[in-house]
Amino acid sequence: MMTNKKGRFGVHGGQYIPETLMNAVTELEIAYDFYKNDSEFNAELSRLFNEYAGRPSRLYYAERMTRDLGGAKIYLKREDLNHTGAHKINNVLGQALLAKRMGKTRLIAETGAGQHGVATATAAALMGMSCVIFMGEEDTKRQALNVYRMRLLGAEVIPVKTGTSTLKDAVSEAFREWTSRIDDTHYCLGSVMGPHPFPTIVRDFQSVISREIKAQILERENRLPDYIIACVGGGSNAIGSFYHFIDDSCVKLIGCEAAGRGVDTFETAATISTGKLGIFHGMKSYFCQDEYGQIAPVYSISAGLDYPGIGPEHAYLHDTGRAEYVAVTDEEAVNAFEYLSKTEGIIPAIESAHAVSYAMKLAPELSRENIIVITISGRGDKDCAAIARYRGENINE
Amino acid sequence: MQRLRGTEVRISMSNIHCAFENGKAFIPFITCGYPDIETTKAVVREAVKNGADLIELGIPFSDPTAEGVVIQSANYRALQGGITTDKVFDMVRELRNDIHIPMVFMTYANVIFSYGTERFISSCRDIQIDGIIVPDVPFEEKDEFLTECKRYGVDLISMIAPTSEDRIAKIAREAEGFLYIVSSLGVTGTRSEITTDLKAIINLVRKHTSIPCAIGFGISTPEQAKRMAEISDGAIVGSAIIKILAEYGTDSPVHVGEYVKSMKNAVRIVRD
């Protein structure tokens, strides 16, 4: 009767939010359904992508890394070269433009590592909107530089002290804020998560990554890659990297989750490896939780992957076996962070280093005929102090 | 509202209607296990003795996204104290020896889903829980729990918010037990002023259903409760009670009792 399959990816997704927000997400869905096919909107977004964010991002052949690992040919999709230093700007420019068309004057957002917060603050400055960013207090300490960047861009940064004071608490607080102020405010969710229509909207704006990879690799190699590898927290850069390859069954899709200190410890954020089906933050998906459904306090060295859930479309790609999800520990990610810096002169975000790490294991097992594309979702400058600390060195930022 | 006697004729599957038969209803919300389960039991008994018409029992959740700071903190402390869904069920089973007024659970979708929806809701029937309020399950997702609720005779309570507008009719038409009218935007917590045009919302609800409407969010004083009762069938109070628990800890029961008495006295005399 009233079974509503809207916004579902298999059993995942849905709209599990308070009644107060229902008309807001419905309004967003209607606006998005209209503007996604509006040529003027799309022309404006393309102009922003190209002129402002610096797209298309490069697909770089990592020759030294390829030679060193002695197996598959490795390409890096350089989302780190985008304006603001990460893939987050793709989604934010889309949502900010949409919000503006909807007559909203204020953007709010959650942030983990600070990259989405910086991107949102940037778009708000560009479009003359006011901006409030919610960031776990713990993360404001881990990513002090990004806090300053957001303030510099005119945003107000609110440290969230509830729960574990990390990304999930920042998401909860942003939802609470949206519940109390809807009329002029758009919640610019940063990943492919939350209630419908967010997982679809964010995926569509991030799918520019795989659209470009496909065109670029065909031009360079005249064939599709064998593997696409990306890191997964909520999963926005991964779904963006996978999307236009989902129907190409010859392309293997691999998402790298943050295992923290290991999937057999409690200090992990690897949702697919350790989580179970649940309902949280507006969606049905996999979540790290205890036997009574209490959300687990997750851990990863990477503030951007330190989230107890995963986007519903990833949960579905896992269920169907279309994508594979692997866990990468802090130690492995830090090694990859250092490796790519020394080998290619590219300092990746610690989040992206999780994907680099898995490629380092995989490439030597493959032949020279194989092609791997790793999405470097962001640049690693923000992580230098934390990685130094991890290695026992104290540098003052 | 129709007056019904006993259980032969029901406007819903549960006994919730009984809560609205002693004048306007006063509904206290209590976070289970805050500060501990013995205090929760004593608080429920004091609230009932002092005129509470229905008890809303909160099963704590780690990330209560619809709650303000007061109830968030109570959830956190209760979980730190070791409360679990099973312990809440045991507590209610014991309370049912002497507490006969309707009781409902307020909790988040994942607490029910992870326990096993059928196992959770059949347990509710076994311990005579009359309904469940799940703030992160709106009309569009109520099928998640509705089949089991109907099978076991537990009412799935719907909420209506100041932003519901064109959604009010469909929510009201399918509502069970009572309708929880959210007084204002935002999360739970006490407010000095409630400015939503609640009378207009309730008039609209009345066109589609005859089940009782109780107003919650932001109510703390007897004057506010009285004003809410003037336009609805009752008032729900959470944060103000949790503040008493925060202040008096294990000595709270007598203070909650006094507070419930003052609130019930304020709403009891109100006529439509």
Side-chain angles (χ1 to χ4, degrees), chain B residues 172-223:
Chain B
R173 271 198 297 269
E174 296 185 18
E176 303 174 338
F178 71 92
L179 263 165
Y180 192 129
I181 312 292
V182 177
S183 75
S184 25
L185 292 181
V187 293
T188 57
T190 55
R191 289 170 175 77
S192 55
E193 216 181 334
I194 292 167
T195 54
T196 310
D197 188 356
L198 292 162
K199 198 161 174 49
I201 291 174
I202 287 167
N203 285 341
L204 198 50
V205 170
R206 288 277 175 257
K207 288 183 186 161
H208 301 281
T209 181
S210 61
I211 72 161
C213 293
I215 302 176
F217 279 41
I219 303 168
S220 61
T221 66
E223 293 69 35

Side-chain angles (χ1 to χ4, degrees), chain A residues 1-4 6 8 13-23 26 162-163 168-169 171-173 175-177 179-182 276-281 284 287 289-296, chain B residues 60-67 72 76 79 84-86 109-111 113-115 135-146 159-167 171 174 182 184-187:
Chain A
M1 20 156 209
M2 8 156 288
T3 304
N4 185 344
K6 205 167 60 176
R8 291 279 174 175
Q15 292 181 304
Y16 298 88
I17 49 170
E19 170 60 24
T20 307
L21 287 176
M22 276 308 298
N23 264 330
T26 304
T162 52
K168 83 173 164 83
D169 309 290
V171 174
S172 295
E173 212 49 41
F175 271 118
R176 289 186 185 108
E177 171 64 22
T179 313
S180 67
R181 190 167 164 186
I182 298 167
K276 61 172 185 171
L277 192 61
I279 298 169
F280 183 49
H281 278 161
K284 185 179 274 186
F287 296 96
Q289 53 185 308
D290 74 8
E291 60 170 313
Y292 288 106
Q294 307 296 343
I295 302 303
Chain B
F61 181 51
S62 53
D63 301 80
T65 48
E67 311 296 348
Q72 276 180 56
Y76 180 73
L79 289 169
T84 65
T85 306
D86 283 318
N110 204 44
V111 171
F113 182 79
S114 72
Y115 196 82
D136 56 348
V137 173
F139 182 85
E140 280 71 6
E141 300 297 350
K142 69 177 181 170
D143 275 1
E144 188 70 50
F145 300 135
L146 197 62
M159 299 175 109
I160 284 176
T163 50
S164 294
E165 298 172 356
D166 53 339
R167 300 169 48 78
I171 296 171
E174 296 185 18
V182 177
S184 25
L185 292 181
V187 293

Side-chain angles (χ1 to χ4, degrees), chain A residues 32-51:
Chain A
Y32 180 64
D33 282 346
F34 175 79
Y35 285 111
K36 73 179 180 191
N37 299 315
D38 179 62
S39 55
E40 208 179 302
F41 178 87
N42 286 312
E44 174 70 4
L45 185 59
S46 292
R47 191 187 65 80
L48 288 170
F49 273 3
N50 299 342
E51 306 291 319

Side-chain angles (χ1 to χ4, degrees), chain A residues 112-157:
Chain A
Q115 293 304 103
H116 177 59
V118 167
T120 306
T122 299
L126 176 68
M127 298 191 195
M129 301 170 93
S130 65
C131 183
V132 178
I133 304 295
F134 294 88
M135 186 171 188
E137 193 182 37
E138 193 59 36
D139 294 335
T140 61
K141 291 178 196 153
R142 287 199 278 195
Q143 303 287 350
L145 181 62
N146 272 342
V147 174
Y148 182 76
R149 290 169 77 196
M150 288 183 265
R151 293 203 173 118
L152 187 64
L153 291 158
E156 182 188 353
V157 180

Side-chain angles (χ1 to χ4, degrees), chain A residues 251-289:
Chain A
V251 182
K252 295 182 186 66
L253 310 173
I254 297 180
C256 301
E257 298 191 303
R261 299 206 164 89
V263 292
D264 48 355
T265 72
F266 287 107
E267 291 173 296
T268 178
T271 308
I272 293 286
S273 305
T274 67
K276 61 172 185 171
L277 192 61
I279 298 169
F280 183 49
H281 278 161
M283 58 184 172
K284 185 179 274 186
S285 187
Y286 295 107
F287 296 96
C288 300
Q289 53 185 308

